[in-house]
Amino acid sequence: MRRTIVVAAVVLVLVTGCRWPQDVGTTLEDVRGGVLRVGVTESPPWTRVGDDGSVTGAEAELVQRLAQRLDARVEWYPGSESTLMAALKDRVLDLVVGGLDAKAPWTEEAALTRPYVTVRTVVAVPPGVATPTDLAGTRVAVPAGTAEVAALRAAEADPVPVAEVTGKEDLPVVVGQWRLADLGLRETAHDLAVHDHVWAVPPGENGWQVEVERFLLALSHGEVERLLATAEREEVAR
């Protein structure tokens, strides 16, 4: 009997000592019922930081939902990706958002969640505009100062920089796929970019990362697209 009790005690110690996932720190416990400290970069329509420090956008809405699920209050910390990732590595922050791509070079400073949505930037056409079979030599309206300008040049197209794509252009346009329905555009076969979007959490905080991923992966693609479209409309209305 005594031997049985000893063996049972050893097993209990081993099981509790090897429970997975465990956090290096106590992020999940600290956030639950407490404060969720979120670093945010400006990246409309994913995130937008107002002059008064308020944060809006599709991912801002999702962060608030996560906080509500954990009975936590959100504190926002705007900054550049490099600054925020350094703070995340030191566990000054619990989360960083802002349209982060899965290919972001932050694997040493942060742990990236599994991609929760894949979005495409496409060439589309307004009603009455012919669908181009080839982009070479084709004039295409594109938001000025974006990476898509270079992508069009690489495809030998003729970029026409505009302040904002409205859907009223008389030529093909570059938009995120989530805007097609709102603007009444017809998608073509030309994709300019495909991005897998992620959030970043402190490295080694496995339990916290699982909690965040569980929340993100429960989202439907359509739900994220609707949030993006709403954020885009609000951005255009400013």
Side-chain angles (χ1 to χ4, degrees), residues 143-209:
T146 63
E148 283 71 31
V149 174
L152 286 173
R153 287 173 179 158
E156 299 182 350
D158 180 12
V160 180
V162 296
E164 178 65 40
V165 171
T166 64
K168 299 178 181 179
E169 294 80 3
D170 59 354
L171 67 163
V173 299
V174 173
V175 293
Q177 67 187 73
W178 60 87
R179 299 194 68 197
L180 293 172
D182 265 8
L183 298 182
L185 299 173
R186 185 174 71 256
E187 185 176 352
T188 72
H190 305 293
D191 287 2
L192 289 187
V194 178
H195 297 287
D196 293 322
H197 286 274
V198 298
W199 287 1
V201 299
E205 296 295 283
N206 300 314
W208 172 235
Q209 181 168 349

Side-chain angles (χ1 to χ4, degrees), residues 42-49 56-57 164 228-238:
E42 177 97 6
S43 183
W46 302 94
T47 50
R48 186 182 189 281
V49 181
T56 56
E164 178 65 40
L228 288 169
T230 299
E232 194 84 54
R233 286 194 297 271
E234 293 174 349
E235 189 69 22
V236 171
R238 292 181 188 277

